[in-house]
Amino acid sequence: MFTATDFIPKKYTSTIENGNFEWSAPSNIALVKYWGKKDNQIPANPSVSFTLNNCKTITKLGFEKRDISPEVSGPLNVTSFSFDLLFEGKPKEDFKPKIQKFLERIEVYLPFLKNYHFTIDTQNTFPHSSGIASSASGMAALAMNFMSLERALNPEMTNEYFYRKASFLARLGSGSACRSVKGNVVVWGNQANIGGSSDLFGVEFPHTIHANFKNYQDTILLVDKGEKQVSSTVGHDLMHNHPYAERRFAQAHENLDKLTAIFESGNLDEFIKVVESEALTLHAMMMTSMPYFILMKPNTLQIINAIWKFRNETQIPVCFTLDAGANVHVLYPENVSDKVLQFIQDELVVFCQNGQYICDQIGEGAIAL
Ligand code: PMV
């Protein structure tokens, strides 16, 4: 079993003065949801997600060794991080506090961070303020870059350690980000029947996955692109002292066991039951928090009802899931793509803000550019 101290490095064997790395990391969509956490971003229950392919963050990390000898820069600089943040090529001051906090959290695991000045240049492939959270892809892309720098300082590092620690660091930026490092299907959180699973990082789903799930499609319907009224941080927090929390956490384990069998059998009817129930349970937890809140919008319900009607009439195995917002992820196998896309255009686009939706599918995880 891994513990956080396994990620505190010993002495580095190499040095590097300056350079840059660039990584892309995708977003992911949870099937069994993470909602509720303990200290240090430890999840209250395990979750599993499809890694996406098209919705990603691309981040370039420039780094340059700082002259931190006391006679040159004074003692103050050594105690602070030094970085510039660019979003789509332009300085973005309001993103800096989140990065600052991330650096503070990961410094013990990357003790070289204060020795460099960083230029973090980041952009998303999906439209800005589309209501699609960029924290998962963003934190994962940044974690990959920092790991590239650590590997330059320690060239003996194994690939396994590289990806595991990247996921571990991403988790400290944003919990679900740890599921954006690796591909296809990723589990995060200890689960008895999933060997290697950990609360500390995401792992590739280790068992057989039926061909029905190959290139599984996710069309994201943008129902509401505004700022969320309640952040995920606040939502997670409301699971403390929540009247249904313990039962919900147990249910997540049960649903992950069910999905494990479903991934193997390829039974799409059972897949739909677990996935839609998870989505509605997530939102039920929000509605039964104190204070309570609702993130779904009237059009979210319109879409859900239209999907149920279409599925009933056609027997096409299309279903929905939701993240912590009003947007709807429409999930379906590749071989029914044409029919489902036609249905989306004919009947669901009217419920999307400005008619916007994004076609995505299962993908491979972070990529070095
Ligand atoms: O990673 P966070 O703290 O933004 O939480 C994400 C929570 C959900 O998206 C609602 C569920 C999940 O497992 O991704």
Side-chain angles (χ1 to χ4, degrees):
M1 260 258 289
F2 284 91
T3 63
T5 45
D6 292 319
F7 296 104
I8 298 176
K10 305 198 176 70
K11 234 174 117 46
Y12 292 128
T13 51
S14 286
T15 56
I16 182 163
E17 289 301 312
N18 55 53
N20 54 71
F21 297 107
E22 189 170 15
W23 280 85
S24 76
S27 187
N28 69 76
I29 181 67
L31 305 170
V32 171
K33 307 290 181 179
Y34 150 59
W35 198 243
K37 61 177 160 184
K38 306 173 195 168
D39 286 346
N40 301 320
Q41 303 274 98
I42 297 298
N45 64 257
S47 55
V48 65
S49 52
F50 283 155
T51 304
L52 297 183
N53 192 58
N54 303 336
C55 290
K56 18 185 198 193
T57 299
I58 298 161
T59 300
K60 192 172 186 168
L61 180 75
F63 59 92
E64 196 170 352
K65 199 93 176 254
R66 296 162 81 187
D67 189 349
I68 50 174
S69 56
E71 56 290 2
V72 177
S73 50
L76 239 191
N77 281 350
V78 197
T79 60
S80 54
F81 297 108
S82 174
F83 67 98
D84 296 317
L85 187 83
L86 308 177
F87 180 68
E88 294 175 347
K90 296 192 197 84
K92 185 91 176 152
E93 288 303 311
D94 43 330
F95 282 5
K96 284 187 91 173
K98 210 171 172 188
I99 304 294
Q100 171 73 26
K101 204 166 150 203
F102 180 49
L103 296 175
E104 286 165 14
R105 279 190 191 162
I106 63 176
E107 190 192 6
V108 57
Y109 307 105
L110 299 176
F112 58 80
L113 287 177
K114 283 187 182 145
N115 301 344
Y116 291 92
H117 172 76
F118 295 108
T119 305
I120 301 165
D121 190 348
T122 190
Q123 63 192 80
N124 297 327
T125 58
F126 43 92
H128 187 46
S129 75
S130 58
I132 300 186
S134 58
S135 56
S137 52
M139 288 299 173
L142 191 52
M144 299 312 297
N145 278 305
F146 283 135
M147 283 311 295
S148 283
L149 179 50
E150 182 169 64
R151 184 156 59 185
L153 298 170
N154 176 21
E156 294 85 48
M157 182 185 292
T158 64
N159 241 350
E160 202 179 9
Y161 181 88
F162 177 89
Y163 280 99
R164 194 179 282 146
K165 183 164 173 180
S167 174
F168 171 87
L169 296 174
R171 187 195 98 243
L172 293 170
S174 172
S176 58
C178 76
R179 298 188 314 240
S180 278
V181 166
K182 282 289 189 162
N184 286 347
V185 179
V186 176
V187 176
W188 167 39
N190 285 327
Q191 172 81 343
N193 294 337
I194 300 186
S197 61
S198 171
D199 285 346
L200 299 177
F201 46 81
V203 296
E204 278 172 284
F205 181 74
H207 302 298
T208 319
I209 300 176
H210 193 278
N212 282 352
F213 296 103
K214 195 173 153 49
N215 298 332
Y216 221 71
Q217 304 289 302
D218 178 5
T219 301
I220 309 164
L221 307 180
L222 305 179
V223 171
D224 184 41
K225 304 191 287 174
E227 267 296 290
K228 278 187 271 184
Q229 300 125 314
V230 181
S231 70
S232 289
T233 311
V234 171
H236 286 295
D237 227 37
L238 291 172
M239 289 303 280
H240 293 294
N241 307 316
H242 189 292
Y244 306 127
E246 285 316 311
R247 186 65 198 91
R248 158 61 197 153
F249 300 146
Q251 181 201 38
H253 285 272
E254 292 155 18
N255 280 343
L256 184 46
D257 271 344
K258 283 186 194 164
L259 267 189
T260 301
I262 291 165
F263 282 138
E264 185 152 12
S265 69
N267 187 329
L268 294 180
D269 291 338
E270 292 301 312
F271 177 78
I272 289 169
K273 281 188 209 159
V274 173
V275 168
E276 291 190 343
S277 164
E278 274 289 322
L280 294 179
T281 300
L282 168 69
H283 285 258
M285 290 300 113
M286 299 171 187
M287 289 191 257
T288 48
S289 300
M290 192 55 77
Y292 40 82
F293 59 104
I294 301 180
L295 296 184
M296 291 185 287
K297 297 282 179 194
N299 281 353
T300 310
L301 297 184
Q302 297 278 19
I303 290 167
I304 291 172
N305 280 307
I307 289 172
W308 284 344
K309 185 163 174 280
F310 176 78
R311 190 167 74 220
N312 249 329
E313 288 169 2
T314 62
Q315 305 304 311
I316 289 172
V318 53
C319 70
F320 71 87
T321 189
L322 307 167
D323 55 18
N327 297 335
V328 182
H329 290 248
V330 185
L331 301 175
Y332 49 97
E334 192 182 27
N335 65 358
V336 295
S337 286
D338 290 350
K339 286 183 185 133
V340 175
L341 280 171
Q342 193 63 54
F343 159 63
I344 288 172
Q345 274 153 24
D346 292 346
E347 293 183 47
L348 302 186
V349 165
V350 291
F351 302 121
C352 299
Q353 212 173 5
N354 305 325
Q356 270 188 296
Y357 62 94
I358 297 173
C359 291
D360 212 333
Q361 62 174 29
I362 283 194
E364 294 300 329
I367 298 170
L369 301 173

